[in-house]
């Protein structure tokens, strides 16, 4: 089959491209050539999706069986892409996010939740990340004349991760010594490997599925303690985890999800909802999640080839706590 990937050189986009090539598909990527090297074997078309002339040049004389959009963040931009690609593909798969769900994580998520209200022609200043992604969903559904598949992943990890949650933890734990571990080791987590998101998306794009799915690890997939323990195991570290109370960390001004990646703060309904996304619909539709140990192992195999000084711990928001702040919190906790 012929596949177009909007993006295709970054984290999830790269996983989609590699999975599509492994299936024997002919893959075209469309991007500006700034986020990473092209995967060998693709037809790489350079262009800016915000420029209609570039979109027209992309589609001229070309058609695909389906499109996978991994780089849509602004509704009006996604809508323009969807309209340009109408008639040039049968299915448009848009990669959204669980954050597009209305009231998430303030309210529990159902199996077929509504997305945040956001107009399909909204601009970059018309909302935050999740709200704009919801507008992108509507833009793809309204702009594309064909099947539209919406995939809403949870926390995505794996090799080439550019948000750098798992890469930061692996790097920190590999250094060894006392490691500040947040809250409770029993905190449940739902994680999904980018490669599993890619496989599920391709399965349904190939079939022309017009539906939407929440795609993440099932409830009970792992815990914070198990996850960090796997990081210690694969790095061969002598790290000693010091589990520090949630409220104490909050009192020390630790930024949730950023300074200690994936720590959501003291127990609350929001934290519980964040790690309680239903997956039954996607599982019934064929979603398969690999063991967390495989994701951690493969991410470390990729990361260890990058000198620590050259590792990127977040493309937009740097992740990880400063060593001096970590040491100060550990000392304060020890004196409690």
């Amino acid at each position: 089959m012929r596949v177009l990937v909007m993006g295709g050189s970054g984290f999830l986009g790269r996983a989609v491209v590699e999975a599509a090539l492994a299936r024997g598909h002919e893959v075209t990527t469309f991007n500006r050539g700034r986020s990473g090297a092209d995967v060998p074997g693709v037809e790489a078309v350079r262009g800016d999706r915000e420029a209609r002339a570039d979109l027209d040049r992309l589609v001229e004389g070309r058609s695909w069986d389906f499109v996978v959009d991994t780089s849509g963040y602004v509704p009006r931009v996604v809508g323009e892409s969807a309209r340009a690609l109408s008639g040039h593909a049968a299915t448009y798969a848009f990669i959204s996010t669980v954050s597009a769900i209305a009231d998430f994580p303030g309210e529990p998520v159902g199996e077929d939740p509504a997305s945040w209200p956001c107009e399909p022609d909204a601009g970059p200043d018309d909302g935050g990340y999740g709200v704009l992604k919801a507008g992108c969903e509507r833009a793809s559904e309204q702009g594309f004349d064909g099947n539209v598949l919406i995939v809403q992943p949870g926390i995505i990890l794996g090799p080439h991760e550019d948000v750098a949650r798992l890469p930061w933890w692996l790097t920190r734990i590999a250094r060894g010594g006392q490691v500040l571990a947040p809250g409770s080791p029993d905190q449940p987590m739902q994680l999904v490997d980018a490669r599993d998101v890619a496989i599920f998306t391709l399965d349904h794009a190939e079939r022309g599925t017009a539906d939407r799915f929440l795609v993440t690890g099932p409830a009970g997939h792992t815990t914070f303690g198990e996850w960090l323990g796997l990081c210690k195991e694969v790095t061969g570290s002598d790290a000693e985890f010091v589990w520090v109370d949630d409220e104490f960390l909050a009192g020390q001004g630790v930024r949730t999800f950023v300074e200690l990646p994936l720590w959501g703060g003291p127990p609350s309904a929001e934290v519980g909802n964040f790690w309680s996304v239903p997956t039954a619909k996607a599982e019934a539709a064929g979603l398969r999640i690999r063991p967390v140990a495989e994701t951690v192992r493969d991410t470390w195999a990729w990361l260890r080839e990058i000198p620590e000084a050259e590792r990127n711990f977040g493309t937009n928001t740097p992740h990880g706590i400063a060593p001096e702040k970590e040491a100060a919190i550990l000392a304060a906790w020890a004196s409690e």
Side-chain angles (χ1 to χ4, degrees):
M1 301 181 82
R2 297 184 303 277
V3 183
L4 170 65
V5 180
M6 303 293 282
S9 61
F11 176 35
L12 180 58
R14 185 182 185 90
V16 171
V17 168
E18 290 177 343
L21 288 171
R23 297 181 182 207
H25 296 328
E26 297 177 21
V27 181
T28 302
T29 58
F30 179 68
N31 56 57
R32 296 173 297 178
R34 300 177 185 174
S35 299
D38 297 309
V39 177
V42 305
E43 177 199 15
V45 178
R46 292 285 179 257
D48 189 336
R49 65 184 299 166
E50 296 188 33
R52 182 62 198 224
D54 288 358
L55 290 171
D56 290 341
R57 178 170 50 83
L58 168 68
V59 302
E60 185 177 2
R62 291 186 180 91
S63 63
W64 301 272
D65 293 287
F66 60 88
V67 179
V68 181
D69 188 346
T70 67
S71 63
Y73 302 97
V74 179
R76 71 168 63 132
V77 175
V78 170
E80 191 73 5
S81 300
R83 287 186 288 273
L85 289 163
S86 289
H88 295 271
T91 300
Y92 192 103
F94 180 72
I95 306 297
S96 185
T97 169
V98 69
S99 297
I101 296 171
D103 300 315
F104 179 81
E107 297 295 332
V109 178
E111 277 289 359
D112 287 294
S115 295
W116 291 105
C118 181
E119 294 300 318
D121 61 350
D125 299 322
D126 292 331
Y129 171 69
V131 170
L132 291 178
K133 276 287 197 176
C136 291
E137 295 175 3
R138 295 185 182 91
S140 59
E141 290 173 326
Q142 295 181 22
F144 187 75
D145 184 14
N147 304 318
V148 176
L149 170 68
I150 305 294
V151 176
Q152 298 173 313
I155 296 294
I156 307 175
L157 305 176
H160 303 282
E161 184 200 333
D162 53 5
V163 181
R165 298 168 175 125
L166 179 53
W168 183 84
W169 276 113
L170 283 165
T171 299
R172 171 62 192 93
I173 290 168
R175 292 193 202 118
Q178 286 196 331
V179 174
L180 174 56
S184 168
D186 298 323
Q187 172 63 57
M189 303 175 81
Q190 289 179 293
L191 308 173
V192 62
D193 194 297
R195 295 167 293 183
D196 293 332
V197 177
I199 289 168
F200 182 83
T201 301
L202 290 174
D203 285 347
H204 285 278
E206 289 168 358
R207 300 171 198 162
T209 301
D211 205 342
R212 58 177 54 229
F213 298 95
L214 292 164
V215 177
T216 192
H221 188 42
T222 192
T223 65
F224 219 116
E226 291 169 350
W227 185 54
L228 294 190
L230 289 167
C231 292
K232 177 178 177 178
E233 179 181 333
V234 301
T235 58
S237 171
D238 66 353
E240 174 193 349
F241 295 120
V242 180
W243 292 92
V244 177
D245 182 78
D246 294 295
E247 285 75 13
F248 186 86
L249 291 174
Q252 296 291 316
V254 177
R255 294 173 63 196
T256 57
F257 285 99
V258 175
E259 288 189 292
L260 295 172
L262 296 188
W263 173 67
S268 66
E270 287 197 358
V271 171
N273 294 336
F274 190 88
W275 298 119
S276 302
V277 176
T279 57
K281 180 180 177 181
E283 290 179 53
L287 175 64
R288 298 294 179 266
I289 302 295
R290 70 192 65 207
V292 177
E294 183 177 336
T295 300
V296 173
R297 181 198 67 211
D298 293 351
T299 303
W300 178 240
W302 158 71
L303 187 67
R304 68 187 304 180
E305 299 301 320
I306 304 172
E308 185 173 337
E310 299 176 17
R311 294 175 189 173
N312 177 1
F313 295 121
T315 303
N316 298 314
T317 302
H319 282 64
I321 193 168
E324 57 273 17
K325 184 171 182 177
E326 179 187 21
I329 292 173
L330 287 170
W333 178 250
S335 65
E336 282 289 298

